[in-house]
Amino acid sequence: MAGSPRRPAGRRLQLPLLCLLLQGATAILFAVFVRYDRETDAARWHWGNRSNADNEFYFRYPSFQDVHAMIFVGFGFLMVFLQRYGFSSVGFTFLLAAFALQWSTLVQGFFHSFHGGHIHVGVESMINADFCAGAVLISFGATLGKTGPAQLLLMALLEVVLFGLNEFVLLNLLEVSPDGDGVGGWGWAGPGAERGGRGVAVGARGCPSTSAPPPQVKDAGGSMTIHTFGAYFGLVLSRVLYRPQLEKSKHLQGSVYHSDLFAMIGTIFLWIFWPSFNSAPTALGDGQHRTALNTYYSLTASTLSTFALSALVGEDGRLDMVHVQNAALAGGVVVGTSAEMMLTPFGALAAGFLAGAVSTLGYKFFTPILESKFKVQDTCGVHNLHGMPGVLGALLGVLVAGLATHETYGDGLESVFPLIAEGQRSATSQAIHQLFGLFVTLMFASVGGGLGGLLLRLPFLDSPPDSQCYEDQIYWEVPGEHENLVQGALRAEEPETQA
Amino acid sequence: MAGSPRRPAGRRLQLPLLCLLLQGATAILFAVFVRYDRETDAARWHWGNRSNADNEFYFRYPSFQDVHAMIFVGFGFLMVFLQRYGFSSVGFTFLLAAFALQWSTLVQGFFHSFHGGHIHVGVESMINADFCAGAVLISFGATLGKTGPAQLLLMALLEVVLFGLNEFVLLNLLEVSPDGDGVGGWGWAGPGAERGGRGVAVGARGCPSTSAPPPQVKDAGGSMTIHTFGAYFGLVLSRVLYRPQLEKSKHLQGSVYHSDLFAMIGTIFLWIFWPSFNSAPTALGDGQHRTALNTYYSLTASTLSTFALSALVGEDGRLDMVHVQNAALAGGVVVGTSAEMMLTPFGALAAGFLAGAVSTLGYKFFTPILESKFKVQDTCGVHNLHGMPGVLGALLGVLVAGLATHETYGDGLESVFPLIAEGQRSATSQAIHQLFGLFVTLMFASVGGGLGGLLLRLPFLDSPPDSQCYEDQIYWEVPGEHENLVQGALRAEEPETQA
Amino acid sequence: MAGSPRRPAGRRLQLPLLCLLLQGATAILFAVFVRYDRETDAARWHWGNRSNADNEFYFRYPSFQDVHAMIFVGFGFLMVFLQRYGFSSVGFTFLLAAFALQWSTLVQGFFHSFHGGHIHVGVESMINADFCAGAVLISFGATLGKTGPAQLLLMALLEVVLFGLNEFVLLNLLEVSPDGDGVGGWGWAGPGAERGGRGVAVGARGCPSTSAPPPQVKDAGGSMTIHTFGAYFGLVLSRVLYRPQLEKSKHLQGSVYHSDLFAMIGTIFLWIFWPSFNSAPTALGDGQHRTALNTYYSLTASTLSTFALSALVGEDGRLDMVHVQNAALAGGVVVGTSAEMMLTPFGALAAGFLAGAVSTLGYKFFTPILESKFKVQDTCGVHNLHGMPGVLGALLGVLVAGLATHETYGDGLESVFPLIAEGQRSATSQAIHQLFGLFVTLMFASVGGGLGGLLLRLPFLDSPPDSQCYEDQIYWEVPGEHENLVQGALRAEEPETQA
């Protein structure tokens, strides 16, 4: 540790200066644009003379807190599996997500709650900002260990904007031409945009209790907007940053016994709170209730299929911790779009089972090919946990939306598929919109990831050398592991008189 | 690790095939029987035209999430204390609980919410399924390290059925003959069963806001149905699986420094969320509020008595982590039956104090006897944490129920003891029913545990050899602990140029 | 470990006997004084004939659970960073907080909810008791590693009383003479006290929905009453207990790699739940909502400034885990007083940024001076995390209170500043009261900490010798770290036949 200094001042100063610059910029933008919404503003709330019990805080804050735990505890510790990259995994998660929360408040605010020259914030914007941070952390997982913190902040700077843009297109703009063949062009959604104009502060994901425009594409839990987008953004970015000499740090790429246990903290917190993740932004009442229930069952099934497949393909029938840590979560991803729909409990089990199986097999067979053939070094295997299950989830959304009927949803159709309920769209048309949303998301993610990769390759940016990837020491003061313990034990052996 | 393969294909395939079989079976049963209840179904909820704020989701989901964290984080990490069994402890907890949630949805559904040929699910069934998973994990604690995952799934398969049956008997069937001496036989509870017949989807534990039959025996937090049942089922099962040669793996039976810290994660999450566990299924309003409060105080007292007794009986006055990790939680167990009653804050402290003391002394003095005299190898000491405190909790329920008066409960008597409030039963009669519930539970647990032990002894089942108990390697790909670190440190010493 | 016994019986018995004595005393006091409040009592709740949905449980219990997690998981694990003091850090946190919850129920109850000879308890008293436990744990942080558990219990015994007294003075008594110069004497607040007399059970922090007296000084999240008080109490106490020979245990004062990861569990849980901490006791509706939102933003900014400053002052631009673990949390402390006010989102960012920067620089530059010049050995750096940010938070409260206008708050002014709304006080006068509250708090903390230090120096108390500070072995049975692993590995190498 007392080695010679490795980094010139120009590189050492990148992280602190970038942090200060970004924080200064967002603070100024907050001062100019961000205001309390009518549920958090003292004057406006009391002016409305509503019962305190009606404040949206009580309907969404418990779910928000679960989401918040997933972002910081879940993602943070899930990535601690690397033996010498724990400080960076949990620390950079912390830094990136903290920045993304501020920045996405601004970006999403401009797209979804910009009225009278101001962005209005409350518990819904908090949930949406955490969702955007989740997408950034998924991309971080693809590039884990191979990028410095300043690079990662730049990645977040770009990705948050593209996330917001993609989400805006899917929710507000995407309207497949009704006279076309269903795969034709998309344009500005006239009526929706109009209504948006007179709307008040609303959640990005279209809570129907407000006067926001009804979403063109449904994606409450973000199979498309969060998981597919975050994964393919990160994978393409990782492709652009491909390091042919990465085996120089191969000895650091694995886990050790207790780093795997730390990672299980992340896994379990993600797993238990995923029902809250998918249900946090949905319609109140039966909507949140059903979404949580479907997600709960889907996760149980992906857990069973993960254990089954992991043991089936494991050497001597042994289970692999990488599968359990990751693929067991695929059940949450795969119902991100459809959990608020009438998926049925059986549908949730079937979807979860499939996602867990695909994800496990992906880790076993596809990740090596991804590196050798496609030159994508996917550290956390986000393609298996977020990429493929996200795409499957989008397709499941296509299917379940296409099956929507008035009989099944009753008056609840207005909450889940307002455009169908209002007669503006058939179920088939909604399905086509959903499918088109997937293509748009893949396009935004790929182009964005490519741009991000080029940005991060700027030669003056501080990046770890090949031999020091997956290594905390380059960015952190790292204490020893055992020396002091041994010294302590030796001293403890010495006889001593009581004070 | 690269040792010779140890298990023949017939054994290696047991886990994957059993997972696939069980998942397939529950999926089919879900398709046939399981439907959304009226609070989660889009059509039925909106047909009711109720305010979204009335959806039971908002009253029970935050508590559910705390219970969910206890099951997966709490139980999972509490058992990580073994030095080389962390992957199995947290991993098999994950697998067993995921299966138990599905399977108990079906079993409890058949007993408690089977109407019109369908089982109806929602947040109440989620809580009840998690409770059942808790009982399975308690039994897992007794047998930890000595059984393979396929054996454990079979144990869960059986235990979930017996748990549901025992719970059904206590809540719905147990009626001590009113003309008898109070310890006489029990039979089908006519009026209750009748009402059950016209009931709608209801929670198993008798939330009075529904038209379910009033419970014959009160046991909201499960001192009997969860803790006593789970503990004695596991202990009898462990007795049947007695391994006389277990000292062959004695070197693996202890903890190491950081495995004890991981276990404290489990302990603390169980401790903080236990008020939610006991209150999750009780009557709304004062019922949930009072239950949480009583549990909170009981746990503080069991913590103090645990530290007192642990230091008192420890060598040189030293505290024992095993006691702190476990006995401090006994306060939650001991008020499982009575916390919803008018136990009084003082009563909660006294009960918690007693439970912590009994549990600590059990670990110190009784666990060795249990093994040497009774041939029960109780890995986690579930007899001390769940067995004795569970029985004490049942007896406390007898006492507090017997003291119930109209004066103390006012109109709240209808919520807590509906049969007393309706004049169908005296407080003394309720107390006798409670006591009888304990006997029934002990009987179901013992017979069930015996059957379970015989099932798990089927010779073709994959079971770890005596010398490899408490060892992850037999079922998991286990990374090294330190080698890579050392290599990494050596490489880091080498001079290198910046990329 | 099998060393010679070190402590005579008189010292060994201190912890168990003190635990038993304290538990016995609080139990008796509970029996005499503590009763359910009208929201938890079966008879009183149902007598009120209110809807179960109105029970305060549903508005505060989810926040309470987050606070509870912060106290036990957050504080407990944050202090696990020491390499050989993990058992004590998490264990004594557990013990101290469990006792403090009981004892502060009594002390705060006497001050704030003592009516008709009884203390009334419910979710508000649970939150307030947890808050008091937080202050005790902050003081524990200053003295971590240098005191025995019996000493710590005595510290808690004293500190809880002074905490309650200070809080009572700030909330109920502190009234700056209206005709004075604003910094003159304070006396009994006549009208407030009167109203208190006819009040019912109320939260200590002045929830306006009850008939409690309006608070003289606002401090919902406890910048003064919790953080400033706890920090300076602990620092003065640590000064009195100054150990000039502490370098004898210097080899134990640092962290090791995985102890820093355990500490990050504490950090992250504190960070994610801090919005609930500050908002738990505020007015319902917009009050809780706005408080949570402000705290959320403040924490994101303190995280960015911590990373920026840590890298800026670190050797070779490296980040320091100590800063990330602690200073990133300063954003929660600094808005403890003002988050419920109309701080604005920008104000929250600015405050958080400042607090993170001050805290990081404090760790780097001031902590060494504190020890060398002021002879204060502040193990966890509570001066940097709670002391300075707490004082800054109090001053921020002065500023924001002084800026309060009817225009900004509308009818919400009644909730946030009832005395201003009622015309009893100007905004400037409120600001002066706030400032005076800070001085009173500093006085109580300093005098209390001095008394506490003298108490803990009583020569018969069991205290660790200088060379065994920061060492678990003196109070705990400590397992080995690696021996068994090595043995196990050796045995596993031996060939063996399957059972």
Side-chain angles (χ1 to χ4, degrees):
Chain A
M1 268 309 300
S4 53
R6 293 193 195 86
R7 293 186 295 169
R11 299 195 165 212
R12 280 197 286 108
L13 291 173
Q14 282 179 13
L15 176 63
L17 295 184
L18 191 57
C19 284
L20 294 174
L21 182 72
L22 293 175
Q23 181 58 78
T26 57
I28 291 169
L29 292 169
F30 264 61
V32 176
F33 293 114
V34 179
R35 298 294 179 270
Y36 297 122
D37 71 12
R38 62 176 177 177
E39 314 254 330
T40 49
D41 186 278
R44 294 173 71 200
W45 174 256
H46 285 270
W47 187 76
N49 210 13
R50 291 156 66 194
S51 161
N52 283 326
D54 292 337
N55 197 290
E56 191 152 19
F57 182 79
Y58 300 105
F59 299 97
R60 300 209 186 268
Y61 187 73
S63 302
F64 160 74
Q65 271 298 1
D66 294 349
V67 172
H68 212 39
M70 290 173 73
I71 298 300
F72 288 87
V73 181
F75 280 106
F77 278 92
L78 183 58
M79 296 195 259
V80 173
F81 74 100
L82 290 169
Q83 59 188 276
R84 290 298 288 181
Y85 207 63
F87 287 15
S88 302
S89 295
V90 74
F92 296 161
T93 293
F94 198 10
L95 173 65
L96 281 185
F99 168 64
L101 295 185
Q102 293 181 30
W103 182 225
S104 68
T105 297
L106 290 161
V107 171
Q108 294 183 312
F110 278 114
F111 284 124
H112 298 290
S113 64
F114 192 68
H115 309 293
H118 289 135
I119 291 164
H120 294 92
V121 293
V123 69
E124 279 189 42
S125 72
M126 291 160 75
I127 291 168
N128 285 318
D130 270 69
F131 276 12
C132 180
V136 172
L137 295 178
I138 291 166
S139 302
F140 176 37
T143 180
L144 189 75
K146 299 167 296 186
T147 41
Q151 287 181 300
L152 292 168
L153 281 172
L154 289 178
M155 179 189 84
L157 185 69
L158 175 68
E159 184 169 1
V160 167
V161 174
L162 291 169
F163 175 94
L165 192 59
N166 178 58
E167 190 184 52
F168 181 62
V169 169
L170 263 64
L171 299 184
N172 293 48
L173 297 192
L174 193 69
E175 193 166 25
V176 181
S177 55
D179 48 11
D181 58 0
V183 294
W186 51 273
W188 290 85
E194 243 170 57
R195 279 207 255 169
R198 64 177 164 79
V200 292
V202 296
R205 277 148 206 289
C207 167
S209 63
T210 65
S211 55
Q216 301 292 325
V217 173
K218 297 290 292 186
D219 191 27
S223 288
M224 286 177 272
T225 51
I226 301 169
H227 299 288
T228 302
F229 178 84
Y232 289 98
F233 185 101
L235 290 166
V236 173
L237 185 142
S238 198
R239 172 65 190 83
V240 178
L241 299 181
Y242 179 66
R243 290 170 180 261
Q245 304 288 312
L246 196 55
E247 75 274 15
K248 282 190 187 173
S249 53
K250 194 156 196 66
H251 59 289
L252 295 167
Q253 264 184 294
S255 61
V256 289
Y257 193 70
H258 66 253
S259 71
D260 268 327
L261 286 175
F262 277 115
M264 279 304 287
I265 297 174
T267 298
I268 298 288
F269 275 99
L270 287 169
W271 198 92
I272 59 173
F273 288 145
W274 215 299
S276 303
F277 189 93
N278 286 345
S279 67
T282 63
L284 299 184
D286 64 301
Q288 287 197 299
H289 201 157
R290 183 173 57 249
T291 309
L293 184 77
N294 286 332
T295 309
Y296 168 88
Y297 284 126
S298 180
L299 286 161
T300 60
S302 60
T303 304
L304 263 83
S305 65
T306 296
F307 274 85
L309 274 289
S310 182
L312 205 57
V313 302
E315 190 199 336
D316 194 31
R318 287 205 190 90
L319 296 158
D320 189 330
M321 255 297 167
V322 172
H323 305 161
V324 173
Q325 284 159 2
N326 293 279
L329 298 166
V333 176
V334 79
V335 295
T337 302
S338 57
E340 71 167 327
M341 305 174 187
M342 289 291 283
L343 176 62
T344 79
F346 164 75
L349 287 186
F353 182 85
L354 180 66
V358 166
S359 185
T360 304
L361 296 175
Y363 276 99
K364 183 74 182 181
F365 300 111
F366 193 61
T367 294
I369 294 172
L370 204 61
E371 174 154 6
S372 61
K373 301 273 192 230
F374 297 94
K375 297 187 192 299
V376 177
Q377 293 154 329
D378 179 8
T379 313
C380 290
V382 303
H383 187 254
N384 309 306
L385 173 49
H386 301 279
M388 291 187 294
V391 171
L392 281 177
L395 296 175
L396 184 63
V398 172
L399 177 68
V400 183
L403 296 173
T405 62
H406 275 278
E407 286 66 41
T408 310
Y409 290 79
D411 291 347
L413 194 61
E414 177 68 35
S415 297
V416 184
F417 296 113
L419 294 171
I420 301 178
E422 295 167 9
Q424 294 187 27
R425 194 180 271 179
S426 68
T428 307
S429 168
Q430 181 68 39
I432 292 166
H433 279 80
Q434 296 288 134
L435 186 64
F436 211 65
L438 174 62
F439 290 129
V440 171
T441 299
L442 287 169
M443 191 197 68
F444 267 102
S446 305
V447 173
L451 288 175
L454 294 175
L455 177 67
L456 268 57
R457 286 184 67 175
L458 289 177
F460 56 83
L461 288 178
D462 187 34
S463 174
D466 287 340
S467 65
Q468 302 226 358
C469 286
Y470 318 112
E471 169 60 74
D472 279 334
Q473 279 197 24
I474 193 165
Y475 297 115
W476 297 85
E477 298 281 349
V478 178
E481 185 67 28
H482 304 296
E483 310 97 298
N484 295 354
L485 281 176
V486 175
Q487 288 174 26
L490 290 175
R491 293 211 189 186
E493 298 287 308
E494 298 167 21
E496 185 159 23
T497 50
Q498 180 88 358
Chain B
M1 268 312 300
S4 53
R6 293 193 195 84
R7 294 185 293 168
R11 299 195 165 212
R12 281 196 288 107
L13 291 173
Q14 282 178 14
L15 177 63
L17 295 184
L18 191 57
C19 283
L20 294 174
L21 182 72
L22 293 175
Q23 180 59 76
T26 58
I28 292 168
L29 293 169
F30 263 61
V32 177
F33 293 115
V34 178
R35 298 292 179 271
Y36 296 123
D37 71 13
R38 61 176 176 177
E39 314 253 331
T40 49
D41 186 278
R44 294 173 70 201
W45 174 256
H46 285 270
W47 187 76
N49 210 11
R50 291 157 66 193
S51 161
N52 282 325
D54 292 338
N55 196 291
E56 192 152 18
F57 183 79
Y58 300 105
F59 298 97
R60 300 209 186 266
Y61 187 73
S63 302
F64 160 74
Q65 271 298 2
D66 295 348
V67 172
H68 213 39
M70 290 174 73
I71 297 301
F72 288 87
V73 181
F75 281 105
F77 278 92
L78 184 59
M79 297 195 260
V80 172
F81 75 98
L82 289 169
Q83 57 187 275
R84 291 298 289 180
Y85 207 62
F87 287 15
S88 302
S89 295
V90 73
F92 296 162
T93 293
F94 198 11
L95 173 65
L96 281 185
F99 168 64
L101 295 185
Q102 292 181 31
W103 182 225
S104 68
T105 296
L106 290 162
V107 172
Q108 294 183 313
F110 278 114
F111 285 125
H112 298 289
S113 62
F114 193 68
H115 309 293
H118 290 135
I119 291 165
H120 295 91
V121 293
V123 69
E124 279 190 41
S125 73
M126 290 160 74
I127 292 169
N128 286 318
D130 270 69
F131 276 12
C132 180
V136 171
L137 295 177
I138 292 166
S139 303
F140 176 36
T143 180
L144 190 75
K146 299 168 295 187
T147 41
Q151 286 181 300
L152 291 168
L153 281 172
L154 289 178
M155 179 188 84
L157 185 69
L158 175 68
E159 184 169 0
V160 167
V161 174
L162 291 168
F163 174 94
L165 192 58
N166 179 57
E167 191 184 50
F168 181 62
V169 169
L170 263 64
L171 298 184
N172 293 48
L173 296 191
L174 193 68
E175 192 167 27
V176 182
S177 54
D179 49 8
D181 58 358
V183 294
W186 52 272
W188 290 85
E194 244 170 56
R195 280 208 255 168
R198 64 176 164 80
V200 292
V202 296
R205 278 148 203 289
C207 169
S209 64
T210 64
S211 55
Q216 302 291 325
V217 172
K218 297 290 292 187
D219 192 27
S223 288
M224 287 176 272
T225 49
I226 301 169
H227 299 288
T228 303
F229 178 83
Y232 288 98
F233 185 100
L235 291 166
V236 173
L237 184 143
S238 197
R239 172 66 190 83
V240 177
L241 298 182
Y242 179 66
R243 289 170 180 260
Q245 304 287 313
L246 196 55
E247 76 273 14
K248 282 190 187 174
S249 52
K250 195 157 196 65
H251 60 289
L252 295 167
Q253 264 184 293
S255 59
V256 288
Y257 193 70
H258 65 254
S259 72
D260 269 327
L261 286 175
F262 276 116
M264 279 303 288
I265 297 173
T267 298
I268 297 290
F269 274 99
L270 287 169
W271 198 92
I272 60 172
F273 287 145
W274 215 299
S276 302
F277 189 92
N278 286 344
S279 67
T282 63
L284 298 184
D286 65 301
Q288 286 198 299
H289 201 159
R290 184 172 57 249
T291 308
L293 184 78
N294 287 331
T295 309
Y296 169 87
Y297 284 127
S298 181
L299 285 161
T300 61
S302 61
T303 304
L304 264 83
S305 65
T306 296
F307 274 84
L309 273 290
S310 182
L312 206 58
V313 302
E315 189 199 338
D316 194 31
R318 287 206 191 89
L319 294 158
D320 189 330
M321 255 298 166
V322 172
H323 304 160
V324 172
Q325 283 159 3
N326 293 279
L329 298 167
V333 176
V334 78
V335 297
T337 302
S338 57
E340 72 167 325
M341 305 174 187
M342 290 291 283
L343 177 60
T344 79
F346 164 75
L349 287 186
F353 182 85
L354 181 67
V358 166
S359 186
T360 305
L361 296 175
Y363 276 99
K364 182 76 182 181
F365 301 111
F366 194 61
T367 293
I369 295 172
L370 204 61
E371 173 154 7
S372 61
K373 300 274 191 228
F374 296 93
K375 297 187 192 299
V376 177
Q377 293 154 330
D378 179 9
T379 313
C380 290
V382 303
H383 188 254
N384 309 304
L385 172 50
H386 301 279
M388 291 188 294
V391 171
L392 281 177
L395 296 175
L396 184 63
V398 172
L399 176 69
V400 182
L403 295 172
T405 63
H406 275 279
E407 285 67 40
T408 310
Y409 289 80
D411 290 346
L413 194 61
E414 177 67 35
S415 296
V416 185
F417 296 113
L419 294 171
I420 301 179
E422 294 167 10
Q424 295 187 25
R425 194 181 270 180
S426 68
T428 307
S429 169
Q430 181 67 39
I432 292 166
H433 280 80
Q434 296 287 135
L435 185 64
F436 212 66
L438 174 61
F439 291 128
V440 171
T441 299
L442 287 169
M443 190 196 71
F444 268 102
S446 306
V447 173
L451 288 175
L454 294 175
L455 177 68
L456 267 56
R457 286 184 66 178
L458 289 177
F460 56 83
L461 287 178
D462 186 35
S463 174
D466 287 339
S467 65
Q468 303 227 358
C469 286
Y470 318 113
E471 168 61 73
D472 278 334
Q473 279 196 24
I474 193 164
Y475 297 114
W476 297 85
E477 298 283 347
V478 178
E481 184 68 28
H482 305 296
E483 309 99 297
N484 295 355
L485 281 176
V486 176
Q487 289 174 24
L490 290 176
R491 293 210 189 186
E493 299 286 309
E494 297 167 19
E496 186 158 23
T497 50
Q498 181 86 358
Chain C
M1 268 310 299
S4 53
R6 294 192 194 85
R7 294 186 294 169
R11 299 194 164 213
R12 281 197 286 109
L13 291 174
Q14 282 177 14
L15 176 63
L17 295 184
L18 191 58
C19 284
L20 295 174
L21 182 72
L22 293 174
Q23 181 59 76
T26 57
I28 291 168
L29 292 169
F30 263 62
V32 177
F33 293 114
V34 179
R35 298 293 179 271
Y36 296 123
D37 71 11
R38 60 176 178 177
E39 314 253 331
T40 48
D41 185 279
R44 293 173 71 201
W45 174 256
H46 285 270
W47 186 77
N49 210 11
R50 292 157 64 195
S51 161
N52 283 326
D54 292 337
N55 197 291
E56 193 152 17
F57 183 79
Y58 300 104
F59 298 97
R60 300 207 186 269
Y61 186 74
S63 301
F64 161 75
Q65 271 298 0
D66 294 348
V67 173
H68 212 41
M70 289 174 73
I71 298 300
F72 288 87
V73 181
F75 280 104
F77 278 92
L78 184 58
M79 297 196 259
V80 172
F81 75 98
L82 290 168
Q83 57 188 276
R84 291 298 288 180
Y85 207 62
F87 287 15
S88 301
S89 294
V90 74
F92 296 162
T93 292
F94 198 12
L95 173 65
L96 281 184
F99 168 64
L101 295 185
Q102 292 181 30
W103 182 224
S104 68
T105 297
L106 290 162
V107 171
Q108 294 183 312
F110 278 115
F111 285 124
H112 298 289
S113 64
F114 192 68
H115 309 291
H118 288 136
I119 291 164
H120 295 91
V121 293
V123 70
E124 279 190 40
S125 72
M126 290 160 75
I127 291 169
N128 286 317
D130 269 69
F131 275 13
C132 180
V136 171
L137 295 178
I138 291 167
S139 303
F140 176 38
T143 182
L144 188 75
K146 298 168 296 187
T147 41
Q151 286 181 300
L152 291 168
L153 281 172
L154 289 178
M155 181 189 82
L157 185 69
L158 176 69
E159 184 170 0
V160 167
V161 174
L162 291 168
F163 174 95
L165 192 59
N166 179 57
E167 190 184 52
F168 181 62
V169 169
L170 262 65
L171 298 184
N172 293 48
L173 297 190
L174 192 69
E175 191 166 28
V176 182
S177 54
D179 48 10
D181 57 0
V183 294
W186 52 272
W188 290 84
E194 244 170 56
R195 280 207 254 167
R198 63 176 165 80
V200 292
V202 296
R205 279 148 203 288
C207 168
S209 63
T210 64
S211 54
Q216 302 292 324
V217 173
K218 297 290 293 186
D219 191 27
S223 287
M224 288 177 271
T225 49
I226 301 169
H227 299 288
T228 303
F229 178 84
Y232 289 98
F233 185 101
L235 290 166
V236 173
L237 184 143
S238 197
R239 172 65 190 83
V240 177
L241 298 182
Y242 179 66
R243 290 170 179 261
Q245 305 287 313
L246 195 55
E247 75 274 15
K248 283 189 187 174
S249 52
K250 195 157 195 66
H251 60 289
L252 295 168
Q253 265 184 294
S255 60
V256 288
Y257 193 71
H258 64 253
S259 72
D260 269 327
L261 286 175
F262 277 115
M264 279 303 288
I265 297 173
T267 297
I268 298 289
F269 275 99
L270 287 169
W271 198 92
I272 59 172
F273 288 144
W274 215 299
S276 303
F277 189 93
N278 286 344
S279 67
T282 64
L284 299 185
D286 65 302
Q288 287 197 300
H289 201 158
R290 184 172 57 249
T291 309
L293 184 77
N294 286 331
T295 308
Y296 168 87
Y297 284 127
S298 180
L299 286 160
T300 62
S302 61
T303 304
L304 263 83
S305 64
T306 296
F307 275 84
L309 274 289
S310 183
L312 205 57
V313 303
E315 190 198 337
D316 194 32
R318 287 207 191 89
L319 295 159
D320 189 330
M321 255 298 167
V322 172
H323 304 160
V324 173
Q325 283 159 3
N326 293 278
L329 297 166
V333 176
V334 80
V335 296
T337 302
S338 57
E340 72 167 325
M341 305 174 188
M342 288 291 283
L343 176 62
T344 78
F346 164 74
L349 287 187
F353 181 84
L354 181 67
V358 166
S359 186
T360 304
L361 296 175
Y363 274 99
K364 183 74 181 181
F365 300 112
F366 193 61
T367 294
I369 294 173
L370 205 62
E371 173 154 7
S372 61
K373 300 275 191 227
F374 296 94
K375 297 186 192 296
V376 176
Q377 293 154 330
D378 179 8
T379 313
C380 290
V382 302
H383 187 253
N384 309 306
L385 172 50
H386 302 279
M388 291 188 294
V391 171
L392 281 177
L395 296 175
L396 183 63
V398 172
L399 177 69
V400 182
L403 295 172
T405 62
H406 274 280
E407 285 67 41
T408 310
Y409 290 80
D411 290 346
L413 195 61
E414 178 66 35
S415 297
V416 184
F417 296 113
L419 294 172
I420 301 178
E422 294 167 10
Q424 295 187 26
R425 194 179 271 180
S426 68
T428 307
S429 170
Q430 181 68 39
I432 291 165
H433 280 81
Q434 296 288 135
L435 186 64
F436 212 66
L438 174 61
F439 291 128
V440 170
T441 299
L442 287 169
M443 192 197 69
F444 267 102
S446 305
V447 173
L451 288 175
L454 294 175
L455 177 67
L456 267 57
R457 287 185 65 177
L458 289 177
F460 56 83
L461 287 178
D462 187 34
S463 174
D466 287 338
S467 65
Q468 302 226 357
C469 286
Y470 319 112
E471 169 60 75
D472 278 335
Q473 280 197 22
I474 193 165
Y475 297 115
W476 297 86
E477 298 283 348
V478 178
E481 184 68 26
H482 304 296
E483 309 98 297
N484 296 355
L485 281 177
V486 176
Q487 288 175 24
L490 290 175
R491 293 211 190 185
E493 299 287 309
E494 297 167 19
E496 186 159 24
T497 50
Q498 181 87 357

